[in-house]
Amino acid sequence: MSRQTTPLGRPRDPELDEKLMTAALLEYAQLGWGAFTMQGVARRAGVGKSALYLRWANKEQLLLDSVESVALTLRVNVDTGSLTGDLTALATALLEHFLDPIGWATLRITIDVTADFTDLQPFQQRIVRSLRTAAAGAFTRAVERGEMSADTAHEPLIESLFGAVLMHTLSRTQDERDHARAYPGEHVGPLVDVIVRSARPTKK
Amino acid sequence: MSRQTTPLGRPRDPELDEKLMTAALLEYAQLGWGAFTMQGVARRAGVGKSALYLRWANKEQLLLDSVESVALTLRVNVDTGSLTGDLTALATALLEHFLDPIGWATLRITIDVTADFTDLQPFQQRIVRSLRTAAAGAFTRAVERGEMSADTAHEPLIESLFGAVLMHTLSRTQDERDHARAYPGEHVGPLVDVIVRSARPTKK
Amino acid sequence: MSRQTTPLGRPRDPELDEKLMTAALLEYAQLGWGAFTMQGVARRAGVGKSALYLRWANKEQLLLDSVESVALTLRVNVDTGSLTGDLTALATALLEHFLDPIGWATLRITIDVTADFTDLQPFQQRIVRSLRTAAAGAFTRAVERGEMSADTAHEPLIESLFGAVLMHTLSRTQDERDHARAYPGEHVGPLVDVIVRSARPTKK
Amino acid sequence: MSRQTTPLGRPRDPELDEKLMTAALLEYAQLGWGAFTMQGVARRAGVGKSALYLRWANKEQLLLDSVESVALTLRVNVDTGSLTGDLTALATALLEHFLDPIGWATLRITIDVTADFTDLQPFQQRIVRSLRTAAAGAFTRAVERGEMSADTAHEPLIESLFGAVLMHTLSRTQDERDHARAYPGEHVGPLVDVIVRSARPTKK
DNA sequence: TATTAAACGAGACGGTACGTCGCGTCTTCTT
DNA sequence: AAGAAGACGCGACGTACCGTCTCGTTTAATA
């Protein structure tokens, strides 16, 4: 006769959700698709398979969900006083994201999702949007400061900067990536410069 | 007395090598890692599994080899008379490469390879190198024309341009990608502009 | 506090054990070693391969186990009032066993086992023993009746009778075996006679 | 215009026929059906697969042929002066045949052939016949000597003796079979006795 | 002596079964 | 009802062998 029915039986362990997604990302990051297994995730989390299948229908769903939960972490939007400073902060954050195994796993899955014709826009877009809005703030402030003319399109600049960071990570050897982890500034600086120089107002 | 011994037994069918790699890339492009199977490749190529396993030890090797054989295709180096023209040609080729299912598959595999700690530099580097050398030519000619100062670093510009194309492909929906396939110029133009403006010599 | 722990997880389907062994024997009886396949057994039983490999490590083990479970069926020991009657009952049972495809399969496997140097005595002996004990009863009663002297060795008589039935089955054509199935008495009679005459006490 | 055409080309190596069949029997005797392979036979004989498939269409044909070529070896027919002596010679020969790995392999294959509904009478019968004719001689001489009445049926006696030897081999452990190899007389004696006693004329 | 056609060693090839392992579902007992 | 454990039907893995098919080389009989 209770109106506000508490669900019967044992309640779900709320800590498991996050624990399982973390385990999934680690497993994927270390082993790749080929050796990524549900029982591997369960083992790593010290859990039975039921706990997984009660929450996700299959491997793909688990991975997508896990990736999404991580993507929201990437929220950087600081005013450092200059466009170079703002973009450096952003690019550094992204570089570190890509250098982190889990961040890289996120990218791999995004790439795979993009390939499937089943257009998982909501998933994909949410991640990209967080990057764009962060960059938009930096550009707006730059225009106010006069570092950039108001009619410059943001989109190509954003794609160039973030794409450059991605390409940089992608085209380097393991040793160079290790170096970037230690000294991100040296790697990000030249890339930010490209954007800042491109954005600077044309002299008369 | 012959030093140059012909290998014994029936020789391998040389047509099969290419046929199998093509089948593998198509299979991967359509299905992704999750549903990519050796027997699927064999079936598609109308071939027994033995023909596959005589050449490659496992799925990974087959895919890596297939990707490498495709990567060499990407050879663009034309002199159009202007930096904008040269870079547009390059970026368009790359965009079309990424919009092609097989080209995209190539990227996916490169990403996966980068993740593995087993540093497959020779593989990875060979692909990237073909891009860099193509761009280097364009920049050299630009310096000669006076469109660009001699002391501008190439590397960040290259990473920005190619990364931008990649990020562009990655962050768009299926519909937008279809549009890019039809009108690549509209998509590539703004990205090339970013680079050209960044590279232009500073006015006194 | 419970010492007698119930085994964890879903319990094995107890009906499957027998179903699988029956399917295995039928498959073997119909197709022989050459075409006997595990997936064939699984298909016939409407079962996945896992169910088989959870119970038996390989083809050989499955067949041995199956044979053993059938061998125990051969239990005949009746007192018909005369040695001839008792032995006829026994020999008829054995003849019918050999004429049955599954019974014959049992023999084939026993022969194979005997050949292997890995001496699977427990298996082999258990089958033979059931025959010997049955015959021993008949001989004991014959001695009591005075049909046979007490100091006659049982073993050679047993081997002669059962061996004769086996050789009879082995050396006949398919047509003759069909006839034996219909009229076992005509085939068994002469063989029993040989034994009875050999066993009869010597007249002074 | 030659009438007696010699076949063209390189003639078949006549030594190979026997060499290959011997290799086949050894392979089968040591490994059994399960691990009996054509390439194994070829390897053991130091020969390519072609040499095998030029002579036999498949594994089965090779084995049947090999068995048949061996069976003809079993030709014993000596007059020792007594029925016991004659039968002992025969039974000993058969016992040694069964104790020899190749002889045992012959039996295994015979058993398998008997099981198949494809009634390979010519094969099967030829082997059995050689045994029967040998025994027939011994019985004929026994009748002449007065050790046996003329109207006693031969067939059951033959089946009993040879069957007894077979059953004896079949029901013993490896150790006991080793003993029989060293002292065949001890094992054959009791079995021959059974037959001789059964065959002796009834005293008035 | 040179030609010719089959025999032969080697091994690629299209298949299929092996025995293993992971999927996603199910059934059992425990919490 | 959640959860750990593990059986189950299914199907791919990578291996090994089937019987067929090229290759190049060898070996007699013929020309």
Side-chain angles (χ1 to χ4, degrees):
Chain A
M1 190 110 309
S2 63
R3 248 166 313 149
Q4 173 99 16
T5 43
T6 311
L8 288 179
R10 173 175 170 177
R12 283 204 184 163
D13 183 340
E15 295 181 23
L16 273 187
D17 294 76
E18 199 186 359
K19 186 157 95 174
L20 292 176
M21 291 194 291
T22 304
L25 282 176
L26 283 176
E27 195 82 358
Y28 180 81
Q30 289 179 9
L31 307 174
W33 239 122
F36 175 80
T37 71
M38 289 300 256
Q39 13 221 49
V41 175
R43 206 179 309 125
R44 182 190 286 264
V47 141
K49 281 199 295 174
S50 11
L52 285 172
Y53 282 102
L54 278 172
R55 287 155 226 264
W56 297 279
N58 49 46
K59 289 211 278 192
E60 284 74 18
Q61 292 305 316
L62 167 58
L63 267 181
L64 284 181
D65 233 30
S66 308
V67 163
E68 226 179 325
S69 77
V70 167
L72 307 180
T73 320
L74 202 69
R75 286 272 160 72
V76 180
N77 202 359
V78 264
D79 185 350
T80 65
S82 73
L83 179 57
T84 298
D86 285 6
L87 293 185
T88 299
L90 263 169
T92 302
L94 191 60
L95 177 64
E96 281 165 352
H97 176 73
F98 285 149
L99 290 173
D100 174 50
I102 289 194
W104 192 249
T106 302
L107 174 67
R108 293 165 79 180
I109 294 167
T110 307
I111 303 257
D112 280 359
V113 165
T114 307
D116 292 344
F117 295 103
T118 58
D119 208 15
L120 298 191
Q121 296 185 23
F123 164 77
Q124 180 190 351
Q125 295 298 67
R126 206 170 315 176
I127 294 178
V128 174
R129 200 187 327 272
S130 76
L131 295 175
R132 287 194 201 161
T133 52
F139 288 136
T140 306
R141 289 191 296 272
V143 172
E144 290 168 359
R145 292 189 203 103
E147 294 175 294
M148 184 173 150
S149 78
D151 56 351
T152 306
H154 291 183
E155 199 67 22
L157 292 175
I158 294 173
E159 286 177 348
S160 293
L161 178 58
F162 293 155
V165 173
L166 168 55
M167 191 53 99
H168 190 85
T169 316
L170 190 57
S171 64
R172 303 296 158 155
T173 66
Q174 182 62 39
D175 286 346
E176 291 169 313
R177 287 201 295 277
D178 288 341
H179 182 266
R181 228 184 305 272
Y183 311 98
E186 297 183 21
H187 292 256
V188 158
L191 304 178
V192 170
D193 269 0
V194 168
I195 303 307
V196 173
R197 298 187 62 198
S198 182
R200 73 184 186 275
T202 315
K203 304 280 170 46
K204 289 271 164 46
Chain B
M1 182 139 294
S2 66
R3 248 163 316 148
Q4 174 99 16
T5 44
T6 312
L8 289 178
R10 173 174 172 177
R12 292 204 182 153
D13 185 341
E15 295 183 21
L16 275 186
D17 295 76
E18 200 188 357
K19 187 158 94 175
L20 292 176
M21 291 194 290
T22 305
L25 283 176
L26 284 175
E27 195 82 359
Y28 181 81
Q30 287 179 12
L31 306 174
W33 239 124
F36 175 80
T37 71
M38 289 299 254
Q39 9 221 47
V41 175
R43 209 178 308 125
R44 180 189 288 264
V47 139
K49 280 199 296 172
S50 23
L52 284 172
Y53 282 102
L54 276 172
R55 286 155 227 265
W56 297 279
N58 49 47
K59 294 209 275 192
E60 285 74 17
Q61 293 303 317
L62 167 57
L63 273 179
L64 283 182
D65 232 32
S66 308
V67 164
E68 223 178 326
S69 76
V70 167
L72 307 179
T73 320
L74 203 70
R75 285 271 161 75
V76 181
N77 202 359
V78 267
D79 185 349
T80 65
S82 74
L83 179 58
T84 299
D86 286 5
L87 293 185
T88 299
L90 264 170
T92 302
L94 191 60
L95 177 64
E96 281 165 351
H97 176 71
F98 285 149
L99 289 173
D100 175 50
I102 288 194
W104 192 248
T106 301
L107 174 66
R108 294 165 78 179
I109 295 167
T110 306
I111 302 257
D112 280 359
V113 165
T114 308
D116 292 344
F117 295 102
T118 59
D119 209 14
L120 299 190
Q121 298 184 21
F123 162 78
Q124 181 190 351
Q125 295 298 65
R126 206 170 316 175
I127 294 179
V128 174
R129 201 188 327 272
S130 76
L131 295 177
R132 288 195 201 161
T133 54
F139 289 137
T140 305
R141 290 191 295 272
V143 172
E144 291 168 359
R145 291 188 203 104
E147 294 176 296
M148 184 171 149
S149 78
D151 56 350
T152 306
H154 292 183
E155 199 67 24
L157 292 176
I158 294 173
E159 286 177 349
S160 293
L161 179 58
F162 293 155
V165 173
L166 168 55
M167 190 55 98
H168 190 84
T169 315
L170 190 56
S171 63
R172 303 294 158 157
T173 66
Q174 182 61 38
D175 286 346
E176 291 170 313
R177 285 201 297 277
D178 287 342
H179 182 266
R181 228 184 304 270
Y183 311 97
E186 297 183 22
H187 291 257
V188 159
L191 304 179
V192 170
D193 269 0
V194 168
I195 303 306
V196 172
R197 297 187 62 199
S198 181
R200 73 184 187 274
T202 317
K203 303 281 169 46
K204 286 278 163 44
Chain C
M1 181 134 298
S2 66
R3 244 161 321 144
Q4 174 100 14
T5 44
T6 312
L8 289 179
R10 174 176 171 178
R12 292 204 182 153
D13 185 339
E15 296 183 22
L16 275 186
D17 295 77
E18 199 188 358
K19 187 157 94 174
L20 292 176
M21 291 194 290
T22 304
L25 283 176
L26 283 175
E27 195 82 358
Y28 181 81
Q30 289 179 9
L31 306 174
W33 238 125
F36 176 80
T37 71
M38 289 300 254
Q39 8 222 47
V41 174
R43 208 178 310 125
R44 180 190 288 265
V47 140
K49 282 200 294 172
S50 24
L52 284 172
Y53 282 102
L54 277 172
R55 287 155 226 265
W56 297 279
N58 49 46
K59 294 209 276 191
E60 285 74 17
Q61 293 302 319
L62 167 57
L63 272 179
L64 283 182
D65 232 29
S66 307
V67 164
E68 223 179 327
S69 77
V70 167
L72 308 179
T73 320
L74 203 70
R75 287 271 160 74
V76 181
N77 201 358
V78 266
D79 184 350
T80 64
S82 74
L83 180 58
T84 299
D86 285 5
L87 293 185
T88 299
L90 263 170
T92 302
L94 190 60
L95 177 64
E96 282 165 350
H97 176 72
F98 285 149
L99 290 172
D100 175 50
I102 288 193
W104 191 248
T106 301
L107 174 67
R108 294 165 79 178
I109 294 166
T110 306
I111 303 258
D112 280 359
V113 167
T114 307
D116 291 344
F117 296 102
T118 58
D119 209 14
L120 298 191
Q121 297 185 20
F123 163 76
Q124 180 189 352
Q125 294 300 66
R126 206 172 316 178
I127 294 179
V128 174
R129 202 188 325 274
S130 75
L131 295 176
R132 287 193 202 164
T133 53
F139 288 136
T140 305
R141 289 191 295 272
V143 171
E144 290 168 359
R145 291 190 203 102
E147 294 177 294
M148 184 173 151
S149 77
D151 56 351
T152 306
H154 292 183
E155 200 67 24
L157 292 175
I158 294 173
E159 286 177 350
S160 293
L161 178 58
F162 293 156
V165 172
L166 168 55
M167 190 55 99
H168 189 84
T169 315
L170 190 56
S171 63
R172 303 295 157 156
T173 67
Q174 182 61 39
D175 286 347
E176 290 169 314
R177 286 201 296 278
D178 288 341
H179 182 266
R181 229 184 304 271
Y183 310 98
E186 296 183 20
H187 291 256
V188 157
L191 305 179
V192 170
D193 268 0
V194 168
I195 303 307
V196 173
R197 296 186 63 201
S198 181
R200 73 185 186 275
T202 316
K203 303 284 170 48
K204 287 276 163 42
Chain D
M1 185 116 305
S2 64
R3 251 166 311 147
Q4 174 99 17
T5 44
T6 311
L8 288 179
R10 173 176 172 178
R12 286 201 184 161
D13 183 340
E15 295 182 22
L16 274 187
D17 296 75
E18 199 187 359
K19 187 158 94 174
L20 292 176
M21 291 194 290
T22 305
L25 283 176
L26 283 176
E27 195 82 358
Y28 180 81
Q30 288 178 11
L31 306 174
W33 239 123
F36 176 79
T37 72
M38 288 300 255
Q39 11 221 49
V41 175
R43 207 179 309 126
R44 181 191 289 263
V47 141
K49 281 200 294 174
S50 12
L52 284 172
Y53 282 101
L54 278 172
R55 287 157 227 264
W56 297 278
N58 51 46
K59 290 210 279 191
E60 284 74 17
Q61 293 304 318
L62 167 57
L63 268 181
L64 284 181
D65 233 31
S66 308
V67 164
E68 225 178 325
S69 77
V70 167
L72 308 179
T73 320
L74 201 71
R75 286 274 161 74
V76 181
N77 203 357
V78 267
D79 185 351
T80 65
S82 72
L83 179 58
T84 298
D86 286 4
L87 293 185
T88 299
L90 264 170
T92 301
L94 191 61
L95 177 65
E96 281 165 351
H97 176 72
F98 285 148
L99 289 173
D100 174 51
I102 289 194
W104 192 249
T106 301
L107 174 66
R108 292 165 79 178
I109 295 167
T110 307
I111 302 259
D112 280 359
V113 165
T114 307
D116 291 344
F117 295 104
T118 59
D119 208 15
L120 298 191
Q121 297 184 21
F123 163 77
Q124 180 189 353
Q125 296 298 66
R126 205 170 316 175
I127 294 178
V128 175
R129 202 188 326 273
S130 76
L131 295 176
R132 287 194 201 162
T133 53
F139 288 137
T140 306
R141 290 190 295 273
V143 171
E144 291 167 359
R145 291 188 202 105
E147 293 176 296
M148 184 173 150
S149 78
D151 56 351
T152 306
H154 292 182
E155 199 68 24
L157 291 176
I158 294 173
E159 286 177 349
S160 293
L161 179 59
F162 293 155
V165 173
L166 169 54
M167 190 55 98
H168 189 85
T169 315
L170 190 55
S171 63
R172 302 295 156 156
T173 67
Q174 181 63 38
D175 285 346
E176 291 169 314
R177 286 200 295 277
D178 288 341
H179 182 266
R181 228 183 305 271
Y183 311 98
E186 296 182 21
H187 292 256
V188 158
L191 305 178
V192 170
D193 269 1
V194 167
I195 303 308
V196 173
R197 297 185 64 197
S198 182
R200 73 185 185 275
T202 315
K203 302 283 167 47
K204 287 272 163 47

